[in-house]
Amino acid sequence: MSELFRQHIEKIVPLTDQEFALVSSFFVKKKLKKHQFLVQAGELAPYDFWVEKGLLRAYLLEENGKEQILQFAMEDWWITDYQAHFSAQPATLNVDCLEDCQVLCISQEDKDRLCAQLQKFEHFFRKKSNAGYVALQKRILSLLTDQAHERYQQFLSLYPSIIQRVPKKYIASYLGVSRETLSRLSG
Amino acid sequence: MSELFRQHIEKIVPLTDQEFALVSSFFVKKKLKKHQFLVQAGELAPYDFWVEKGLLRAYLLEENGKEQILQFAMEDWWITDYQAHFSAQPATLNVDCLEDCQVLCISQEDKDRLCAQLQKFEHFFRKKSNAGYVALQKRILSLLTDQAHERYQQFLSLYPSIIQRVPKKYIASYLGVSRETLSRLSG
């Protein structure tokens, strides 16, 4: 399995070669084409995906046909419909590829099994989840307090490379601003 | 330590008496008066708090003097400034008591120590963090897609008892709506 993945884990917890071999045995590599779906609303979302290459988005398709983007994920990030994934309930989100992608997949069952076998991995996922929680709290505060131009500036400084890789309308959706506002801000 | 706390943990992971005694030895009970602070912006936030009794809020004091509420916590919930807590950096939020409170405190260092000693507790915190992550994702989607009246209705159905216990202006702040709008919705 990829050396990048080992580095990703070892940012939080060091692994022996044997431990990394164990971890790797729980993941499956998948190649996907642009526009392909990893999760579809209404279906189960048993897998969590670590992105080795490419760019994806998780979004809600509203009844009025509008796509509301909840999350992007590029190299070194994780993505799925987490509510569906953790609860084994049907997904409400869609996850699809905005570029050709290469991901590593692990099922929720295997994640629990691996965590039980190797506490280091339970530790890894606890720390990742904590970091994710804090990032979402920041985003909520930003949605509640910041003006559109501040949200756009923050996005620019946090994720400069995403701006280059996705259509502006997707960034507008993620930020909760109109396309016209975003055009004005980024023009 | 309180039987309620044991029940709280055992919703996720069963403990032997000996394990619960170990867990309890890492927590300190604190009683607080209404208006007392548990976390103050600018200071460190080494402790995480489980609420045994009472109601608290975490909020950002904006430069213009406005208080933006990020989180409430009542019986059986956890609260602190998590960004500050996890990173050992100064807090940006304040956490204070909206009622007289009784909480159990654990420092971040002790949490890590306890998790290392007892994997069940690492598992417990991983599952709690996952659930918290999903709840925040839902809130973000609600902020991005729902109208004020939908957000208020959701809050009502999720947290009926908070509505009875806190001033309306705090709920307006949490929901990101004006007090006037909330008065109209709840009138």
Side-chain angles (χ1 to χ4, degrees):
Chain A
M1 201 119 298
S2 112
E3 190 53 31
L4 278 176
F5 187 51
R6 181 163 184 167
Q7 286 168 17
H8 173 71
I9 300 166
E10 292 200 324
K11 276 180 209 157
I12 292 177
V13 63
L15 297 176
T16 65
D17 289 349
Q18 205 181 356
E19 287 165 344
F20 184 61
L22 174 70
V23 169
S24 298
S25 72
F26 280 86
F27 284 84
V28 174
K29 187 176 284 200
K30 248 192 180 161
K31 287 189 178 196
L32 298 137
K33 290 280 174 204
K34 186 172 174 176
H35 302 308
Q36 221 175 317
F37 281 78
L38 283 175
V39 176
Q40 281 190 278
E43 300 184 3
L44 294 176
Y47 294 100
D48 196 1
F49 305 97
W50 178 78
V51 185
E52 191 167 357
K53 198 172 167 338
L55 185 68
L56 305 98
R57 63 172 178 159
Y59 67 96
L60 178 74
L61 184 59
E62 294 187 73
E63 277 174 30
N64 59 15
K66 208 183 128 202
E67 293 173 354
Q68 177 56 58
I69 295 182
L70 175 62
Q71 195 203 330
F72 294 108
M74 54 179 183
E75 289 80 11
D76 219 23
W77 293 14
W78 295 80
I79 194 167
T80 190
D81 177 331
Y82 284 102
Q83 182 183 12
H85 180 68
F86 292 138
S87 66
Q89 297 292 311
T92 52
L93 304 176
N94 298 285
V95 178
D96 68 0
C97 299
L98 300 176
E99 301 175 354
D100 290 352
C101 288
Q102 206 163 292
V103 298
L104 301 182
C105 326
I106 186 169
S107 72
Q108 173 60 11
E109 276 182 6
D110 274 347
K111 206 193 272 179
D112 278 342
R113 212 170 289 149
L114 175 55
C115 285
Q117 272 186 50
L118 186 68
Q119 184 173 356
K120 280 185 181 181
F121 217 71
E122 184 126 65
H123 182 75
F124 169 78
F125 273 122
R126 175 168 74 92
K127 293 290 175 175
K128 286 305 287 182
S129 190
N130 287 345
Y133 184 86
V134 165
L136 294 186
Q137 281 200 329
K138 277 194 208 171
R139 186 156 164 222
I140 287 170
L141 273 178
S142 172
L143 283 169
L144 288 170
T145 62
D146 294 339
Q147 299 300 312
H149 70 275
E150 293 166 316
R151 294 216 289 278
Y152 179 69
Q153 286 303 324
Q154 275 172 26
F155 188 87
L156 259 185
S157 67
L158 277 172
Y159 314 118
S161 67
I162 293 184
I163 303 266
Q164 313 298 325
R165 289 166 71 175
V166 309
K168 290 249 168 69
K169 63 178 179 181
Y170 291 167
I171 294 166
S173 166
Y174 178 93
L175 294 174
V177 304
S178 69
R179 289 191 211 181
E180 295 70 29
T181 303
L182 193 78
S183 293
R184 196 164 34 75
L185 293 172
S186 61
Chain B
M1 202 119 296
S2 114
E3 190 54 31
L4 279 176
F5 186 52
R6 181 163 184 169
Q7 287 168 16
H8 173 70
I9 299 167
E10 292 200 324
K11 276 180 210 158
I12 292 177
V13 63
L15 296 176
T16 65
D17 288 350
Q18 205 182 355
E19 286 165 345
F20 184 61
L22 174 70
V23 169
S24 298
S25 72
F26 280 86
F27 285 84
V28 175
K29 187 176 284 201
K30 249 194 178 158
K31 287 187 177 197
L32 298 137
K33 289 280 175 204
K34 186 173 174 174
H35 302 308
Q36 222 176 314
F37 281 78
L38 282 175
V39 175
Q40 282 191 276
E43 299 184 4
L44 294 176
Y47 294 101
D48 195 2
F49 305 96
W50 178 77
V51 185
E52 191 167 358
K53 200 174 166 341
L55 184 68
L56 305 98
R57 62 171 178 160
Y59 67 96
L60 178 74
L61 183 59
E62 295 186 73
E63 277 174 30
N64 59 14
K66 208 183 130 202
E67 293 173 354
Q68 176 56 58
I69 295 183
L70 176 62
Q71 195 204 329
F72 293 108
M74 54 180 182
E75 289 80 9
D76 219 24
W77 294 13
W78 295 81
I79 194 166
T80 190
D81 177 332
Y82 285 102
Q83 182 184 12
H85 180 66
F86 292 138
S87 66
Q89 297 292 311
T92 51
L93 304 176
N94 298 284
V95 178
D96 68 0
C97 299
L98 300 176
E99 301 174 354
D100 290 352
C101 289
Q102 206 163 291
V103 297
L104 300 183
C105 327
I106 185 168
S107 72
Q108 173 61 11
E109 275 183 7
D110 273 348
K111 206 193 274 179
D112 278 342
R113 213 171 288 150
L114 175 55
C115 285
Q117 273 187 49
L118 186 67
Q119 184 173 354
K120 280 184 181 182
F121 218 71
E122 184 128 63
H123 182 75
F124 169 78
F125 272 122
R126 175 168 76 90
K127 294 290 175 175
K128 287 304 286 180
S129 190
N130 287 344
Y133 184 85
V134 165
L136 294 186
Q137 281 200 329
K138 277 194 208 171
R139 186 155 165 222
I140 287 170
L141 273 179
S142 172
L143 283 169
L144 287 170
T145 62
D146 294 340
Q147 299 300 313
H149 69 275
E150 294 166 317
R151 295 217 289 279
Y152 179 69
Q153 286 305 324
Q154 275 173 27
F155 188 87
L156 259 184
S157 64
L158 278 172
Y159 314 118
S161 67
I162 292 184
I163 302 267
Q164 313 299 325
R165 289 164 73 175
V166 309
K168 290 251 168 71
K169 64 177 178 181
Y170 290 168
I171 294 167
S173 166
Y174 178 93
L175 294 174
V177 304
S178 70
R179 288 191 213 182
E180 295 69 29
T181 303
L182 193 79
S183 293
R184 198 163 35 75
L185 294 171
S186 62

